[in-house]
Amino acid sequence: MTLTQTGVSSRSGDGGVITLLAAFAAAAVFTLLGWAQQSPFEAPVLLRGTDDMVRMVDVRDFLNGQSWFDQMQYRLGVEPGTLMHWSRLIDAPVAALVLIGRILNFGDGERFASIAWPFLTFAAAFAGLFAAVRRGSGSPNLLPTLIIGGFALTGSGVFDSGVIDHHNAQLALTIWLIASLIPAQRPNVDFAAAGIIMSVMLAIGMESQPIVIAGAGAILVRLWLEGDVLAESVRRFGLTLSLSTVALFLTLVGPQHYSSKFCDSLSLLQLVCAGGGGVLLWLCLHPAVRRHLPAPLVSAPLLAGLGVAALAIRLFPDCLRAPGAGLDPKLRHFWFDQVIETQSVFQIAIIDPWLLPYMHVLPIIACASLCWLIAKGRSRSVHAPLMIFILVTSAVTLFQMRGTQYAVPVAALALSVIVTRFAEGHGKERPVLLLGAMAFSCILVWKFISTGAIAVFSDGKTGPLIASDDPAPSQQCESAASIASLNDLPEGTIAGSNNFGPLFLLQTVHRVIAGPYHRNVEGNLAWIDAMTGAPQDARATLQKAGVTILAICPTEADETSLTSEAPDGFLSKLISGKSFDWLEPVQDTMDKPLKLWRVAE
């Protein structure tokens, strides 16, 4: 089957230089728009979230000499610290940007890195978006992509200035993975690139596993649609996936962890399943094997998949359970179930139903459009892989809200392809319909529609998950004055809300026992047990954890949850004004939002 038979024009080359220049120009425009709304240079702390803060702490430690293979965060949790599940593949480029910022005399370089990293990943995502649409549509027209894809990327939030965690890199890689799997003139190169991208995504974090599965599914669909002509390209994908997984394992995993089985980071699990699966696919599609198999283009990948499933069930059964399945019940109740990004669509429908249109409208439109095109037999080798990515990313949003960060941009990519094709065809004679199609596919338009619906049907009252201009009361505890009070105390260990743990790590010299990370089980349990337990037991719990400073923000959600659940617990007694002989109040903080006590040894 030729490329033109799949529906992709021979003009669908990448246009590398033009695409790159257009991507950087678009990224600059959208970044400036974001700055105009967010005023990041006026913010006391540019880093956006808890993960961004701890990422910068990890980068600092790395620049200060911590080993490449040492992923311990020694200041988080009880002694000796917490082994983090993050990757040096993100630490290294952020650290390089910090050094560049220092060379350019931008202070300590961290502010420069926290602006440059999201901008660069934004430009990379845009370049992939333009490349994918050029391939899928056969047109160099960038306008639909700029409008539909541009606002979807900015709306994802992962490219905001100050976001240096891995989600922006993963989204950029997702878009490039899709671009590499849209039919073009170099299937061998493209499928090999897909293997590398998928292994890199797994090495950065296991949250991308559904995307990797979608990529494998898209490759198999193309193999079934296009036949033997792609068999060698798929074999090359399998071999490249295997070799790159091995190379990344040796590069990122220290020898002391070669036999470790981590479900949430690069370890023996990925080496066996991704590396072994790639080899199995390469072997099963070998001509000498293929000729002996019935329906080889179906049975060969099926055999490889069954082999991977058997290895996973036999060697890594714990990793096949739902995320958080093995989490301590207390941590699940007081922390994991309260995290917004892990809420399911059913929970969101109760908490904040106005968020649902934003989460699902573009994927629904994209799925309906692709179903119609596939049913009509139009460019199935383009539309079927796009459909798989949309279905998988949308399925994630049903269980965890965080999937929206991927589902909406992926849907926007598919709609950009469809609208660009329309622009090159009937849209030339019907410009009004073309404008309507672009507006109908633009997430910004749907945001305005949702805002109008809120104003009409709920008197302008939004739910708690939709951003408000009013700062939360707990933000007062994050003020420079509160942090200064902490830094005035001798270096020690803080017991405080796990939401504040990353901020304390970033802006003070102290260690913290609590932080919003599932591997910090002992430290987080110590915080919960001390705050909800009997007052007479709190001292022993805190002293066992090595706590020297108690930091309480009564208006913070974590504290209010603990006091409501345990009205007779230690925290409730403390907030109500009861004093304890083993706690020494820091007097000048007693009338401030963040209240501090010294813990007697």
Side-chain angles (χ1 to χ4, degrees), residues 78 328-334 495-496 513-514 520-545 547 550 558 562 565-566 568-572 582:
V78 299
D328 184 278
K330 287 183 182 179
L331 290 181
R332 172 174 287 280
H333 177 70
F334 284 106
I513 64 166
N520 182 32
V521 173
E522 191 174 353
N524 287 334
L525 282 177
W527 161 253
I528 294 171
D529 289 341
M531 296 304 108
T532 60
Q536 61 268 27
D537 298 328
R539 180 179 185 179
T541 302
L542 293 176
Q543 287 182 333
K544 182 181 178 182
V547 173
L550 183 61
D558 191 13
L562 293 169
E565 291 278 348
D568 295 323
F570 165 71
L571 182 59
S572 295
W582 51 275

Side-chain angles (χ1 to χ4, degrees), residues 40-74:
F41 291 105
E42 299 174 5
V45 179
L46 182 58
L47 299 173
R48 293 290 174 187
T50 55
D51 288 353
D52 306 308
M53 295 177 189
V54 177
R55 175 72 69 183
M56 187 60 77
V57 174
D58 282 353
V59 168
R60 287 178 187 171
D61 294 343
F62 176 55
L63 290 174
N64 289 331
Q66 188 164 329
S67 168
W68 174 267
F69 294 116
D70 185 1
Q71 290 295 96
M72 286 288 289
Q73 181 42 252
Y74 291 99

Side-chain angles (χ1 to χ4, degrees), residues 263 317-327 332 336 399-400:
C263 303
D318 290 344
C319 297
L320 301 179
R321 297 185 296 174
L327 203 61
R332 172 174 287 280
F336 188 80
F399 300 97
Q400 292 193 345

Side-chain angles (χ1 to χ4, degrees), residues 58-323:
D58 282 353
V59 168
R60 287 178 187 171
D61 294 343
F62 176 55
L63 290 174
N64 289 331
Q66 188 164 329
S67 168
W68 174 267
F69 294 116
D70 185 1
Q71 290 295 96
M72 286 288 289
Q73 181 42 252
Y74 291 99
R75 293 169 55 214
L76 174 64
V78 299
E79 295 285 354
T82 300
L83 180 64
M84 299 298 286
H85 57 289
W86 293 347
S87 173
R88 291 293 192 205
L89 287 180
I90 303 298
D91 292 344
V94 174
L97 290 172
V98 171
L99 294 176
I100 292 172
R102 292 175 184 175
I103 293 171
L104 297 176
N105 202 27
F106 287 108
D108 59 7
E110 292 182 1
R111 202 170 187 82
F112 172 80
S114 62
I115 295 172
W117 175 251
F119 172 79
L120 292 174
T121 52
F122 195 13
F126 249 122
L129 198 64
F130 288 146
V133 175
R134 284 175 67 89
R135 286 171 171 235
S137 66
S139 168
N141 185 356
L142 301 180
L143 183 60
T145 307
L146 187 64
I147 294 174
I148 300 170
F151 285 109
L153 289 182
T154 55
S156 69
V158 301
F159 299 108
D160 292 347
S161 54
V163 177
I164 60 169
D165 194 24
H166 61 276
H167 293 294
N168 39 32
Q170 291 284 46
L171 181 51
L173 287 168
T174 298
I175 292 172
W176 274 107
L177 175 61
I178 297 173
S180 69
L181 297 181
I182 293 178
Q185 297 173 343
R186 305 169 301 171
N188 286 343
V189 174
D190 292 338
F191 279 37
I196 295 173
I197 292 171
M198 289 163 67
S199 61
V200 170
M201 293 181 73
L202 289 175
I204 291 175
M206 284 301 289
E207 290 176 0
S208 64
Q209 186 176 12
I211 309 293
V212 171
I213 293 173
I219 288 172
L220 296 183
V221 165
R222 281 198 57 193
L223 176 65
W224 298 335
L225 288 173
E226 299 179 44
D228 285 330
V229 69
L230 279 187
E232 285 304 311
S233 297
V234 176
R235 289 189 70 222
R236 183 167 298 193
F237 156 77
L239 186 61
T240 305
L241 174 65
S242 179
L243 293 176
S244 56
T245 300
V246 172
L248 287 167
F249 180 87
L250 296 174
T251 302
L252 299 172
V253 179
Q256 72 274 22
H257 292 304
Y258 279 173
S259 60
S260 299
K261 303 175 183 179
F262 296 130
C263 303
D264 56 357
S265 64
L266 183 62
S267 68
L268 191 63
L269 167 67
Q270 290 76 24
L271 184 65
V272 170
C273 292
V279 171
L280 284 174
L281 184 62
W282 181 77
L283 288 173
C284 290
L285 281 174
H286 191 280
V289 176
R290 207 163 67 226
R291 71 168 64 101
H292 298 293
L293 295 175
L297 299 185
V298 175
S299 58
L302 181 61
L303 283 175
L306 290 174
V308 172
L311 288 171
I313 294 171
R314 178 68 180 85
L315 300 177
F316 314 102
D318 290 344
C319 297
L320 301 179
R321 297 185 296 174

